[in-house]
Amino acid sequence: MPCPFDAKPRWERRKDARPQELLEAAIDLFVERGYAATRLEDVARRAGVSKGTLYLYYENKEELFKAVVRGSIVPVIGDAETSVAEFEGHSADLLRHVIHSWWQRLGATKASGIIKLVMAEADNFPELACFYQEEVINRGTAAMAGMLERAIERGEFRPMDITLLTQVLVAPMLMLITWKHSVGPCPRAELEPLAFLDTFLDMALNGLLPAASKPAA
């Protein structure tokens, strides 16, 4: 029979769990209220701790927001970077994988509300906008550009302006986020996200793939 003293005390397990509980409460409130209207005392109350306890982990609201982004969005960007670097199949399949993974891990989750929040409040909080640009947008754009460079070098996509094409490919994903958090909650605003993305991919790939070689005479 295991010694009962081997298990962590309940208070210690609770302490270890607090940062994650605070992040979960923070993302809920940021998505519900926006950045400006979210107060640290409300985050602490939602997490079931005192405001003083919250300050033990996060110095201010800006640091808490950065922790939310680093915990919910940045890892997905990192996985996309790894996929681009290690994928061995056709670039069309890689593009499908990256976009579907983006929806499943970000678009379909609460984290998508953070993306909408940044788009809505960036002008009012330029420091946060610069942080998000550096840690999310720049890395995500670079991963997408790397995927397109790979595809063109292998002859799987036709040559195009990679900088512009990257923005073209990202735009429908941002539109889907905007729809979800603005038009989406309204009655009859029906849009199946994966069907939307597959339709976009079908259109994009038929424009990206090189023309088939003409049959010999």
Side-chain angles (χ1 to χ4, degrees), residues 61-180:
K61 185 165 69 169
E62 181 177 334
E63 292 304 314
L64 178 60
F65 181 80
K66 289 179 179 179
V68 166
V69 171
R70 288 172 176 150
S72 62
I73 298 177
V74 171
V76 180
I77 302 297
D79 288 345
E81 292 169 335
T82 300
S83 294
V84 171
E86 299 179 353
F87 196 85
E88 297 182 355
H90 196 285
S91 296
D93 295 326
L94 174 58
L95 179 60
R96 289 190 188 94
H97 169 74
V98 168
I99 289 182
H100 282 179
S101 295
W102 168 86
W103 175 256
Q104 291 162 357
R105 297 188 58 191
L106 282 181
T109 71
K110 287 186 292 187
S112 63
I114 298 298
I115 300 172
K116 169 64 165 49
L117 179 157
V118 172
M119 290 191 286
E121 302 194 48
D123 284 346
N124 295 325
F125 301 97
E127 298 85 359
L128 291 182
C130 290
F131 156 77
Y132 192 84
Q133 176 79 32
E134 180 178 347
E135 299 214 8
V136 176
I137 296 176
N138 288 351
R139 285 181 61 183
T141 299
M144 184 73 77
M147 176 174 57
L148 295 172
E149 289 170 358
R150 167 194 191 273
I152 292 171
E153 288 172 0
R154 291 164 58 130
E156 295 170 340
F157 290 176
R158 61 187 175 87
M160 296 184 70
D161 185 313
I162 289 176
T163 300
L164 292 176
L165 183 57
T166 297
Q167 301 305 316
V168 169
L169 292 176
V170 169
M173 295 190 283
L174 296 181
M175 174 269 169
L176 197 54
I177 290 295
T178 303
W179 170 86
K180 176 182 175 183

Side-chain angles (χ1 to χ4, degrees), residues 15-74:
K15 182 178 179 180
D16 291 344
R18 278 176 185 162
Q20 185 58 37
E21 292 171 350
L22 288 167
L23 291 179
E24 290 174 358
I27 194 171
D28 284 344
L29 289 171
F30 282 138
V31 172
E32 290 172 15
R33 303 180 182 180
Y35 182 80
T38 295
R39 303 184 307 167
L40 290 181
E41 51 263 43
D42 294 332
V43 174
R45 187 179 302 110
R46 179 74 64 95
V49 301
S50 68
K51 187 177 178 180
T53 298
L54 186 151
Y55 279 116
L56 293 176
Y57 298 96
Y58 306 105
E59 183 179 355
N60 50 46
K61 185 165 69 169
E62 181 177 334
E63 292 304 314
L64 178 60
F65 181 80
K66 289 179 179 179
V68 166
V69 171
R70 288 172 176 150
S72 62
I73 298 177
V74 171

